[in-house]
Amino acid sequence: MKKQRRYRLRKEVEKAKIELSANSYCELDLSELVDEDEFIISIDRSEFEECNKKEFDRCMECIDEIMQKKGIKTTQIDEVMLVGGSSQIPKIKELLTKKFSSSSHINDNIDCNLVVSQGAARYAFEHSKGMIRSITEVTAHPIKMAGVDGNHTIVEDGTEIPHEHEIYVEVTGWDVQTELFEGDKSLGRYVISNIPKEDRYVMFVVQVEEDGTITVGGRLSNGNKCECKAQIEKKSNDEEEIQIEKEKIEKFFAQK
């Protein structure tokens, strides 16, 4: 197989691996690789896991070997951070959860690809022998604000952090609401309430810390801080919903 075709095949396989991390089924279109009008291979997640069983087992063996060399037990691990794209494979998460379930928290809320880049940058810095003088932390994704006088990108990606941004908002009622996004991911809705009648403008203050933590605050037009709360939608649990529906049914038949 020519190098170019081998490369394209690897790209298709990588694409399928990523897709199977989110879906139970995917298709590989290899038509261009075999010079046929249509050559599509379908694969489901169970087949993928069976094909890679040895690799998954080897991953767990590597963890056991490292912990044995360092004399560490699973009960001494407080948190397991999933780093790198392959850490998002459901089977990997399942095996790690099983291995560390008794004592550790599996943290998959971080940007698994970003931390790899950060680690590579720090490694390069430490081994640069003075060629690199400093590392500047920057935002990985743009931060956007929606629902307040339209949509705005308030912090561009690549902005040096720590960083603070203020955006003035006109007051049209008793409170002012907005929704914040990091890239396409919603960070939640925020509201400034109990605004004095004389204030026609308030400020949302978005702070990005050096570790990437994002906080949102509020200020009145005179510069004084005011309360800015994150809105949490209260959802009834399944038992409550079942009980409500049960009462409706009983009431209906009682009227017959």
Side-chain angles (χ1 to χ4, degrees):
M1 182 182 291
K2 293 182 179 180
K3 287 185 178 180
Q4 186 176 7
R5 289 192 175 186
R6 187 183 297 117
Y7 172 77
R8 289 168 64 183
L9 176 60
R10 291 186 64 178
K11 294 291 288 184
E12 286 296 322
V13 171
E14 175 73 10
K15 182 180 176 182
K17 182 192 75 171
I18 294 171
E19 190 170 341
L20 285 171
S21 293
N23 304 292
S24 59
Y25 169 88
C26 78
E27 292 183 342
L28 284 78
D29 188 352
L30 307 178
S31 305
E32 294 183 5
L33 299 178
V34 294
D35 297 324
E36 292 188 17
D37 292 337
E38 186 173 322
F39 188 78
I40 298 175
I41 297 175
S42 61
I43 182 172
D44 61 36
R45 186 182 291 170
S46 61
E47 291 175 315
F48 171 79
E49 291 176 351
E50 184 62 30
C51 290
N52 291 279
K53 186 179 184 304
K54 289 184 179 179
E55 282 69 23
F56 294 151
D57 291 342
R58 180 56 187 151
C59 288
M60 298 303 109
E61 289 171 5
C62 286
I63 294 174
D64 292 336
E65 290 171 6
I66 292 171
M67 294 183 67
Q68 186 176 0
K69 286 181 180 179
K70 297 297 181 180
I72 300 174
K73 298 179 180 179
T74 55
T75 53
Q76 296 175 278
I77 305 296
D78 297 321
E79 183 179 50
V80 178
M81 298 178 66
L82 302 186
V83 174
S86 293
S87 69
Q88 301 305 299
I89 297 174
K91 191 64 177 181
I92 292 290
K93 290 184 179 181
E94 177 188 326
L95 293 171
L96 287 172
T97 300
K98 184 177 179 181
K99 180 177 288 293
F100 295 98
S101 60
S102 61
S103 60
S104 308
H105 167 62
I106 305 296
N107 183 357
D108 61 351
N109 294 322
I110 58 176
D111 189 325
C112 62
N113 295 314
L114 174 62
V115 292
V116 172
S117 301
Q118 290 175 326
R122 291 190 178 278
Y123 181 86
F125 174 70
E126 291 172 1
H127 293 77
S128 63
K129 298 180 180 179
M131 294 176 63
I132 303 175
R133 295 185 178 181
S134 64
I135 292 179
T136 301
E137 298 284 353
V138 298
T139 53
H141 306 284
I143 299 173
K144 304 174 185 178
M145 185 172 279
V148 178
D149 191 26
N151 300 335
H152 305 274
T153 297
I154 57 175
V155 180
E156 298 285 352
D157 57 329
T159 299
E160 186 174 340
I161 53 178
H163 178 80
E164 179 177 294
H165 184 87
E166 298 175 346
I167 181 168
Y168 283 84
V169 182
E170 185 176 3
V171 177
T172 57
W174 293 103
D175 58 28
V176 177
Q177 300 182 27
T178 187
E179 186 170 6
L180 210 64
F181 292 85
E182 184 179 19
D184 296 326
K185 178 184 177 183
S186 175
L187 299 176
R189 297 188 65 84
Y190 296 85
V191 58
I192 296 177
S193 55
N194 300 321
I195 302 170
K197 292 182 179 180
E198 61 272 16
D199 275 285
R200 298 188 60 186
Y201 293 91
V202 293
M203 287 183 287
F204 280 102
V205 183
V206 179
Q207 294 177 315
V208 187
E209 305 298 339
E210 193 169 0
D211 62 358
T213 302
I214 299 172
T215 58
V216 182
R219 289 190 188 136
L220 300 175
S221 57
N222 60 10
N224 292 335
K225 290 184 178 180
C226 59
E227 190 174 33
C228 179
K229 290 185 177 181
Q231 286 187 323
I232 301 174
E233 294 184 6
K234 185 178 180 182
K235 297 181 179 180
S236 59
N237 59 38
D238 292 340
E239 291 184 2
E240 289 176 341
E241 291 178 354
I242 291 172
Q243 183 61 32
I244 291 171
E245 293 302 320
K246 183 179 178 181
E247 290 174 358
K248 287 181 180 179
I249 293 171
E250 290 175 348
K251 184 177 180 180
F252 173 78
F253 282 105
Q255 294 173 347
K256 293 291 183 179

